[in-house]
Amino acid sequence: MKSIMSFNLDMKTIFISLVFGHIFTVILINAYRKHTVPDRSVNAFFLSKLIQAIAWALLIVRGVVPELLSIVLANTLLFVGAALETSALLMLQQVFSKRLKRLYLIGTVICIAGFALIYGLGVSEGARIVYASVATAMFLFYPVYYMTTDRAASTLKRLMGILYGIVALSLLLRAGAAIQLGDQVGLFTQGMYQSFSFIALYLIMILGNTGYVLLSKEQADAELLRIASYDEMTGVLNRRTFMVESRNMIHQLAMRQSQVSFILFDVDSYKTINDTYGHFTGDRVLQDMTDRLKERLSELTGERYIFGRYGGDEFAVLLPDVDEAKAGGIAEQLRLTVANSDSHVLPVPYTISLGVVSVQAQRNIQMNTLYELSDHALYNAKRAGKNQVAIYNQEQAEAAL
């Protein structure tokens, strides 16, 4: 009798620990939310932890309260909590589309209704374990698939995907064990499977709470890096980042003794556009131009380019492994892309002029020198009547380096 009482006390202690683990997470998230802009992902994760805490609290009082509360309602809340937690994870990664939201909603309703039905039919606890385990694992399938197959995924994201995959697999194994052993794998049945279940519950809680926090931090760091590296209005690299990435690229090209080309361009008569139509229209011109040129550059170079804003309406492109003839052709295609565009941003079309310089890559090349040489070519393009491409002589350029 003592051993049974001791076991029951340990069992309740574990459930209480789970409840407090989720409650502490709720408290910390609530403290964080007071000083931040409301976020759908954080709100969903907060709600999932609150619901899971209530569910485990109901399981603690099993045998004291009616089974409709300790079994049906508790499992209902666990389904909802699992759906919200995995939804929060997908929201955090900005892949929780409207279609996926509908699927999760429908899946949650089916899980709840199905569990209530099999309970109402009076099936065994083992059958309920099979159903609940498989249903909960279903919520993990897409997050696992996305985090492990996303080519741009970080090491942390891939590891999280693998760990969630292990959780899903353990749930399926528990379902398989329940098919073979029935009620022996229940949370309230003493034995090896109960100990395994307790360990799994702890790991799931730690994985969910810690993993979400780490992924949130990684996302926040990536956003800060984006803000620090990109021009907010046009979405291309800012001047500092463009120069850093270009220097690194030139050093790599120098080791291969390859060519590098630098294109500097701006909008013709941009001051007149601002003065005539206002700065809002001027900004729209720059946004329209960069959108068109990014797409065209990707087509022409296969994504091998560095594109940045030097300041005002002045932009630059670094082209690795591109000689003078090819650089001139690319510059001309960029000019035509803008000149032939049917833009609705302005009541009149706009054009660009471009200056090109191509040299043999050297480790000691100064970015300011490339800028000055291409700026000289750009000046020649303006003097020739604008909407032109001018190329700085390569021999003279290399002599100036």
Side-chain angles (χ1 to χ4, degrees), residues 323-344:
D323 59 21
E324 183 178 277
K326 188 174 180 181
I330 290 174
E332 177 63 16
Q333 288 299 314
L334 297 181
R335 184 193 70 80
L336 290 172
T337 297
V338 173
N340 297 336
S341 65
D342 182 20
S343 175
H344 301 290

Side-chain angles (χ1 to χ4, degrees), residues 249-259 304 320-321 360-361:
M249 176 60 72
I250 290 173
H251 287 174
Q252 295 176 27
L253 295 172
M255 289 188 287
R256 304 201 309 264
Q257 297 184 334
S258 185
Q259 295 272 311
R304 292 208 70 213
D321 298 308
Q360 184 78 25

